[in-house]
mmCIF file with all atom_site columns, all heavy atoms in Angstrom:
data_model
loop_
_atom_site.group_PDB
_atom_site.id
_atom_site.type_symbol
_atom_site.label_atom_id
_atom_site.label_alt_id
_atom_site.label_comp_id
_atom_site.label_asym_id
_atom_site.label_entity_id
_atom_site.label_seq_id
_atom_site.pdbx_PDB_ins_code
_atom_site.Cartn_x
_atom_site.Cartn_y
_atom_site.Cartn_z
_atom_site.occupancy
_atom_site.B_iso_or_equiv
_atom_site.pdbx_formal_charge
_atom_site.auth_seq_id
_atom_site.auth_comp_id
_atom_site.auth_asym_id
_atom_site.auth_atom_id
_atom_site.pdbx_PDB_model_num
ATOM 1  N N   . ASN A 1 69  ? 40.345 37.516 -6.545  1.00 0.00 ? 1515 ASN A N   1
ATOM 2  C CA  . ASN A 1 69  ? 39.760 37.924 -5.354  1.00 0.00 ? 1515 ASN A CA  1
ATOM 3  C C   . ASN A 1 69  ? 39.521 39.415 -5.365  1.00 0.00 ? 1515 ASN A C   1
ATOM 4  O O   . ASN A 1 69  ? 40.578 40.139 -5.502  1.00 0.00 ? 1515 ASN A O   1
ATOM 5  C CB  . ASN A 1 69  ? 40.581 37.511 -4.173  1.00 0.00 ? 1515 ASN A CB  1
ATOM 6  C CG  . ASN A 1 69  ? 40.962 36.023 -4.155  1.00 0.00 ? 1515 ASN A CG  1
ATOM 7  O OD1 . ASN A 1 69  ? 40.133 35.227 -4.470  1.00 0.00 ? 1515 ASN A OD1 1
ATOM 8  N ND2 . ASN A 1 69  ? 42.219 35.695 -3.866  1.00 0.00 ? 1515 ASN A ND2 1
ATOM 9  N N   . ASN A 1 119 ? 38.325 26.720 -1.101  1.00 0.00 ? 1565 ASN A N   1
ATOM 10 C CA  . ASN A 1 119 ? 38.597 28.045 -1.720  1.00 0.00 ? 1565 ASN A CA  1
ATOM 11 C C   . ASN A 1 119 ? 39.829 28.671 -1.119  1.00 0.00 ? 1565 ASN A C   1
ATOM 12 O O   . ASN A 1 119 ? 39.869 28.879 0.112   1.00 0.00 ? 1565 ASN A O   1
ATOM 13 C CB  . ASN A 1 119 ? 37.369 28.926 -1.566  1.00 0.00 ? 1565 ASN A CB  1
ATOM 14 C CG  . ASN A 1 119 ? 37.493 30.190 -2.402  1.00 0.00 ? 1565 ASN A CG  1
ATOM 15 O OD1 . ASN A 1 119 ? 38.586 30.700 -2.711  1.00 0.00 ? 1565 ASN A OD1 1
ATOM 16 N ND2 . ASN A 1 119 ? 36.361 30.645 -2.871  1.00 0.00 ? 1565 ASN A ND2 1
ATOM 17 N N   . GLN A 1 120 ? 40.891 28.865 -1.910  1.00 0.00 ? 1566 GLN A N   1
ATOM 18 C CA  . GLN A 1 120 ? 42.163 29.400 -1.428  1.00 0.00 ? 1566 GLN A CA  1
ATOM 19 C C   . GLN A 1 120 ? 42.323 30.910 -1.951  1.00 0.00 ? 1566 GLN A C   1
ATOM 20 O O   . GLN A 1 120 ? 42.086 31.017 -3.116  1.00 0.00 ? 1566 GLN A O   1
ATOM 21 C CB  . GLN A 1 120 ? 43.296 28.565 -1.783  1.00 0.00 ? 1566 GLN A CB  1
ATOM 22 C CG  . GLN A 1 120 ? 44.610 28.918 -1.226  1.00 0.00 ? 1566 GLN A CG  1
ATOM 23 C CD  . GLN A 1 120 ? 45.409 29.939 -2.056  1.00 0.00 ? 1566 GLN A CD  1
ATOM 24 O OE1 . GLN A 1 120 ? 45.190 30.079 -3.235  1.00 0.00 ? 1566 GLN A OE1 1
ATOM 25 N NE2 . GLN A 1 120 ? 46.288 30.674 -1.447  1.00 0.00 ? 1566 GLN A NE2 1
ATOM 26 N N   . SER A 1 121 ? 42.725 31.783 -1.093  1.00 0.00 ? 1567 SER A N   1
ATOM 27 C CA  . SER A 1 121 ? 42.840 33.160 -1.420  1.00 0.00 ? 1567 SER A CA  1
ATOM 28 C C   . SER A 1 121 ? 44.172 33.757 -0.833  1.00 0.00 ? 1567 SER A C   1
ATOM 29 O O   . SER A 1 121 ? 44.391 33.634 0.319   1.00 0.00 ? 1567 SER A O   1
ATOM 30 C CB  . SER A 1 121 ? 41.620 33.988 -0.952  1.00 0.00 ? 1567 SER A CB  1
ATOM 31 O OG  . SER A 1 121 ? 40.487 33.522 -1.433  1.00 0.00 ? 1567 SER A OG  1
ATOM 32 N N   . ASN A 1 122 ? 44.950 34.336 -1.695  1.00 0.00 ? 1568 ASN A N   1
ATOM 33 C CA  . ASN A 1 122 ? 46.042 35.137 -1.193  1.00 0.00 ? 1568 ASN A CA  1
ATOM 34 C C   . ASN A 1 122 ? 45.727 36.634 -1.346  1.00 0.00 ? 1568 ASN A C   1
ATOM 35 O O   . ASN A 1 122 ? 45.409 37.107 -2.411  1.00 0.00 ? 1568 ASN A O   1
ATOM 36 C CB  . ASN A 1 122 ? 47.318 34.838 -2.028  1.00 0.00 ? 1568 ASN A CB  1
ATOM 37 C CG  . ASN A 1 122 ? 47.839 33.450 -1.740  1.00 0.00 ? 1568 ASN A CG  1
ATOM 38 O OD1 . ASN A 1 122 ? 47.646 32.914 -0.741  1.00 0.00 ? 1568 ASN A OD1 1
ATOM 39 N ND2 . ASN A 1 122 ? 48.419 32.802 -2.739  1.00 0.00 ? 1568 ASN A ND2 1
ATOM 40 N N   . ILE A 1 123 ? 45.752 37.307 -0.216  1.00 0.00 ? 1569 ILE A N   1
ATOM 41 C CA  . ILE A 1 123 ? 45.305 38.691 -0.144  1.00 0.00 ? 1569 ILE A CA  1
ATOM 42 C C   . ILE A 1 123 ? 46.498 39.612 0.053   1.00 0.00 ? 1569 ILE A C   1
ATOM 43 O O   . ILE A 1 123 ? 47.325 39.376 0.919   1.00 0.00 ? 1569 ILE A O   1
ATOM 44 C CB  . ILE A 1 123 ? 44.257 38.905 0.977   1.00 0.00 ? 1569 ILE A CB  1
ATOM 45 C CG1 . ILE A 1 123 ? 42.931 38.073 0.668   1.00 0.00 ? 1569 ILE A CG1 1
ATOM 46 C CG2 . ILE A 1 123 ? 43.895 40.370 1.129   1.00 0.00 ? 1569 ILE A CG2 1
ATOM 47 C CD1 . ILE A 1 123 ? 42.001 38.087 1.796   1.00 0.00 ? 1569 ILE A CD1 1
ATOM 48 N N   . ALA A 1 149 ? 47.846 38.401 3.442   1.00 0.00 ? 1595 ALA A N   1
ATOM 49 C CA  . ALA A 1 149 ? 47.171 37.321 4.164   1.00 0.00 ? 1595 ALA A CA  1
ATOM 50 C C   . ALA A 1 149 ? 46.999 36.103 3.294   1.00 0.00 ? 1595 ALA A C   1
ATOM 51 O O   . ALA A 1 149 ? 46.729 36.263 2.085   1.00 0.00 ? 1595 ALA A O   1
ATOM 52 C CB  . ALA A 1 149 ? 45.841 37.778 4.616   1.00 0.00 ? 1595 ALA A CB  1
ATOM 53 N N   . LYS A 1 150 ? 47.174 34.977 3.855   1.00 0.00 ? 1596 LYS A N   1
ATOM 54 C CA  . LYS A 1 150 ? 46.967 33.701 3.181   1.00 0.00 ? 1596 LYS A CA  1
ATOM 55 C C   . LYS A 1 150 ? 45.730 33.025 3.877   1.00 0.00 ? 1596 LYS A C   1
ATOM 56 O O   . LYS A 1 150 ? 45.787 32.692 5.057   1.00 0.00 ? 1596 LYS A O   1
ATOM 57 C CB  . LYS A 1 150 ? 48.186 32.788 3.226   1.00 0.00 ? 1596 LYS A CB  1
ATOM 58 C CG  . LYS A 1 150 ? 49.314 33.383 2.470   1.00 0.00 ? 1596 LYS A CG  1
ATOM 59 C CD  . LYS A 1 150 ? 50.526 32.459 2.507   1.00 0.00 ? 1596 LYS A CD  1
ATOM 60 C CE  . LYS A 1 150 ? 51.731 33.053 1.675   1.00 0.00 ? 1596 LYS A CE  1
ATOM 61 N NZ  . LYS A 1 150 ? 52.897 32.088 1.754   1.00 0.00 ? 1596 LYS A NZ  1
ATOM 62 N N   . MET A 1 151 ? 44.663 32.854 3.160   1.00 0.00 ? 1597 MET A N   1
ATOM 63 C CA  . MET A 1 151 ? 43.475 32.389 3.726   1.00 0.00 ? 1597 MET A CA  1
ATOM 64 C C   . MET A 1 151 ? 42.796 31.247 2.885   1.00 0.00 ? 1597 MET A C   1
ATOM 65 O O   . MET A 1 151 ? 42.990 31.178 1.709   1.00 0.00 ? 1597 MET A O   1
ATOM 66 C CB  . MET A 1 151 ? 42.379 33.515 3.846   1.00 0.00 ? 1597 MET A CB  1
ATOM 67 C CG  . MET A 1 151 ? 43.022 34.817 4.458   1.00 0.00 ? 1597 MET A CG  1
ATOM 68 S SD  . MET A 1 151 ? 41.811 36.157 4.670   1.00 0.00 ? 1597 MET A SD  1
ATOM 69 C CE  . MET A 1 151 ? 40.915 35.605 5.997   1.00 0.00 ? 1597 MET A CE  1
ATOM 70 N N   . PHE A 1 266 ? 34.501 37.121 -5.256  1.00 0.00 ? 1712 PHE A N   1
ATOM 71 C CA  . PHE A 1 266 ? 35.317 36.282 -6.096  1.00 0.00 ? 1712 PHE A CA  1
ATOM 72 C C   . PHE A 1 266 ? 34.795 36.273 -7.542  1.00 0.00 ? 1712 PHE A C   1
ATOM 73 O O   . PHE A 1 266 ? 33.571 36.212 -7.762  1.00 0.00 ? 1712 PHE A O   1
ATOM 74 C CB  . PHE A 1 266 ? 35.388 34.864 -5.575  1.00 0.00 ? 1712 PHE A CB  1
ATOM 75 C CG  . PHE A 1 266 ? 35.699 34.733 -4.076  1.00 0.00 ? 1712 PHE A CG  1
ATOM 76 C CD1 . PHE A 1 266 ? 34.695 34.381 -3.193  1.00 0.00 ? 1712 PHE A CD1 1
ATOM 77 C CD2 . PHE A 1 266 ? 36.910 35.063 -3.705  1.00 0.00 ? 1712 PHE A CD2 1
ATOM 78 C CE1 . PHE A 1 266 ? 35.017 34.252 -1.908  1.00 0.00 ? 1712 PHE A CE1 1
ATOM 79 C CE2 . PHE A 1 266 ? 37.193 34.926 -2.254  1.00 0.00 ? 1712 PHE A CE2 1
ATOM 80 C CZ  . PHE A 1 266 ? 36.251 34.582 -1.422  1.00 0.00 ? 1712 PHE A CZ  1
ATOM 81 N N   . ARG A 1 268 ? 35.563 33.818 -10.654 1.00 0.00 ? 1714 ARG A N   1
ATOM 82 C CA  . ARG A 1 268 ? 36.234 32.582 -10.898 1.00 0.00 ? 1714 ARG A CA  1
ATOM 83 C C   . ARG A 1 268 ? 35.810 32.047 -12.302 1.00 0.00 ? 1714 ARG A C   1
ATOM 84 O O   . ARG A 1 268 ? 34.576 32.066 -12.644 1.00 0.00 ? 1714 ARG A O   1
ATOM 85 C CB  . ARG A 1 268 ? 35.934 31.512 -9.871  1.00 0.00 ? 1714 ARG A CB  1
ATOM 86 C CG  . ARG A 1 268 ? 36.371 31.840 -8.471  1.00 0.00 ? 1714 ARG A CG  1
ATOM 87 C CD  . ARG A 1 268 ? 37.933 31.521 -8.278  1.00 0.00 ? 1714 ARG A CD  1
ATOM 88 N NE  . ARG A 1 268 ? 38.331 31.567 -6.991  1.00 0.00 ? 1714 ARG A NE  1
ATOM 89 C CZ  . ARG A 1 268 ? 38.818 32.574 -6.291  1.00 0.00 ? 1714 ARG A CZ  1
ATOM 90 N NH1 . ARG A 1 268 ? 38.935 33.745 -6.867  1.00 0.00 ? 1714 ARG A NH1 1
ATOM 91 N NH2 . ARG A 1 268 ? 39.162 32.472 -4.960  1.00 0.00 ? 1714 ARG A NH2 1
#
Side-chain angles (χ1 to χ4, degrees):
N1515 307 316
N1565 192 327
Q1566 187 270 339
S1567 302
N1568 291 330
I1569 296 174
K1596 296 181 178 179
M1597 311 182 76
F1712 310 110
R1714 297 279 196 268

